[in-house]
Amino acid sequence: MEIVSGFVSFTVSKVLQLSRISQHKNAQATKKMEEKALEVYDVIRTIRDPEKPNTLEELDVVSEKCVEVEDLGDEEYLIIIRFTPTVPHCSLATLIGLCLRVKLQRCLPFKHKLEIYISEGAHSTEEDINKQINDKERVAAAMENPNLREIVEQCVTEPDD
């Protein structure tokens, strides 16, 4: 009986030890994803609005909570951005999505896949816009338009200090 009790005690001790190790690893992974999300947010917060002299952060179009990062393995991450246009009929929502995509593709120092969406219920044509800003061919075609490319450049270029 004492042997069984000792074995049970040993087993429970090992299970608890492994559980603490697992919790520690999960906490480390969560912290790493939060740090990546802040790194992404730091890149997008300074993008300028196409119509106003303000940044997307100043207009509350983007915030820290709009960025989600998931680990895909092999040092690659899935970045999901959900931005909120200033008005539900914003005619420049697609352009803002394009600016987000261009700036992140240029500035992120790690491998990533990017999904950009309008926050649910924040725009009258969010479904159509979501399709446009996540379609590689449409994005490439848009960036071939010199006028559009110039506007994007003005929005994503950091102002001189």
Side-chain angles (χ1 to χ4, degrees):
M1 186 75 155
E2 200 171 297
I3 294 173
V4 171
S5 175
F7 180 73
V8 168
S9 177
F10 174 78
T11 303
V12 167
S13 168
K14 282 297 176 191
V15 166
L16 289 173
Q17 184 182 14
L18 290 172
S19 174
R20 283 191 295 272
I21 291 169
S22 176
Q23 287 173 347
H24 181 70
K25 284 183 179 179
N26 286 342
Q28 284 179 319
T30 299
K31 186 174 189 240
K32 186 176 181 180
M33 293 307 100
E34 288 171 356
E35 288 170 358
K36 290 286 182 197
L38 281 174
E39 188 176 348
V40 170
Y41 177 67
D42 203 39
V43 169
I44 64 173
R45 68 185 191 82
T46 58
I47 296 172
R48 299 220 162 269
D49 183 86
E51 283 184 320
K52 300 177 173 87
N54 305 80
T55 66
L56 297 185
E57 177 185 52
E58 292 167 343
L59 295 170
D60 250 358
V61 173
V62 297
S63 64
E64 287 182 26
K65 68 181 188 302
C66 82
V67 179
E68 183 183 330
V69 178
E70 297 175 14
D71 191 348
L72 297 175
D74 294 333
E75 295 298 316
E76 184 174 13
Y77 301 91
L78 171 61
I79 299 166
I80 302 167
I81 309 260
R82 289 182 177 82
F83 71 98
T84 306
T86 54
V87 291
H89 53 276
C90 177
S91 61
L92 299 173
T94 307
L95 183 57
I96 291 169
L98 184 60
C99 290
L100 289 165
R101 180 169 295 284
V102 167
K103 183 124 187 215
L104 288 169
Q105 287 172 336
R106 287 182 185 173
C107 296
L108 288 181
F110 52 84
K111 274 178 44 177
H112 62 276
K113 292 184 179 179
L114 188 55
E115 293 179 8
I116 300 174
Y117 304 103
I118 291 181
S119 300
E120 196 170 321
H123 198 279
S124 55
T125 61
E126 72 187 64
E127 221 174 280
D128 292 333
I129 293 171
N130 289 342
K131 284 180 189 173
Q132 286 180 350
I133 59 180
N134 288 294
D135 183 315
K136 288 179 183 176
E137 279 119 28
R138 287 184 185 187
V139 168
M143 289 307 290
E144 286 178 10
N145 177 319
N147 296 330
L148 206 48
R149 189 172 55 243
E150 184 180 337
I151 293 169
V152 169
E153 289 299 334
Q154 288 172 1
C155 292
V156 302
T157 302
E158 296 285 330
D160 293 334
D161 294 344

